[in-house]
Amino acid sequence: MWRQIECGFRERWQFPNCIGALDGKHVLIQAPPCSGSKYFNYKKSFSIVLLALVDYQYRFTFVDIGSYGSNSDSGVFKNTALCRKMQNKTLAIPDDKPLIVDDQPCPHVIVGDEAFPLMTNLMRPYPGSDLNDAKRIYNYRLSRARRISENAFGILANQ
């Protein structure tokens, strides 16, 4: 499965070695009785978090649903089976392989936004705005691959 997803991200979105785009979505709810501020999010509404890993065709390959709206995407991710499997190296991610540019083997990665931690198999954009050309190009390419998860949430919401 990972190899097929990587091939799709490489061909369709020009981001080689990518095996998924990760993001969180706040789903609005009515405040549950006696819940205090657990579900109260940064947008000043009540929600639960849908965290999802999406493939190159906007298909969900992993979901975690129901975390409190007060939790950040990073906090939700750290408590998922996906994170545990990445840390324990039991996700069956393919071995490192060279990128098109050179023969240096690089890990297969999941792409996320700046809310997620940087890990061997999880990449995020360079921070800041004063970036050199190579970092700006990387951020642009990462953004193209990452927006697939945001688009998948949009498609889901329209259903």
Side-chain angles (χ1 to χ4, degrees), residues 114 124-132 135-136 139:
E114 56 279 345
R124 53 179 276 171
Y126 284 103
S129 57
D130 188 28
L131 304 174
N132 64 29
K135 290 179 180 179
R136 255 196 324 278
N139 277 0

Side-chain angles (χ1 to χ4, degrees), residues 34-141:
C34 305
S35 64
S37 61
K38 291 178 186 174
Y39 295 94
F40 195 69
N41 65 36
Y42 68 99
K43 294 181 180 181
K44 303 196 182 317
S45 57
F46 292 90
S47 65
I48 58 171
V49 179
L50 164 61
L51 186 82
L53 181 64
V54 179
D55 75 4
Y56 70 102
Q57 292 181 309
Y58 310 101
R59 296 180 300 198
F60 294 92
T61 58
F62 171 86
V63 295
D64 182 86
I65 304 167
S67 293
Y68 298 129
S70 60
N71 294 340
S72 66
D73 286 352
S74 180
V76 172
F77 172 70
K78 286 178 184 176
N79 291 313
T80 64
L82 177 64
C83 182
R84 283 189 297 280
K85 288 182 177 197
M86 286 175 71
Q87 290 172 333
N88 298 336
K89 300 188 185 313
T90 58
L91 200 55
I93 294 174
D95 291 335
D96 297 359
K97 77 172 199 179
L99 297 176
I100 298 165
V101 179
D102 60 26
D103 288 334
Q104 281 295 104
C106 293
H108 286 81
V109 297
I110 292 169
V111 294
D113 61 21
E114 56 279 345
F116 294 100
L118 184 61
M119 298 170 63
T120 301
N121 297 108
L122 180 58
M123 296 187 81
R124 53 179 276 171
Y126 284 103
S129 57
D130 188 28
L131 304 174
N132 64 29
D133 287 344
K135 290 179 180 179
R136 255 196 324 278
I137 290 167
Y138 164 82
N139 277 0
Y140 170 75
R141 290 281 177 96

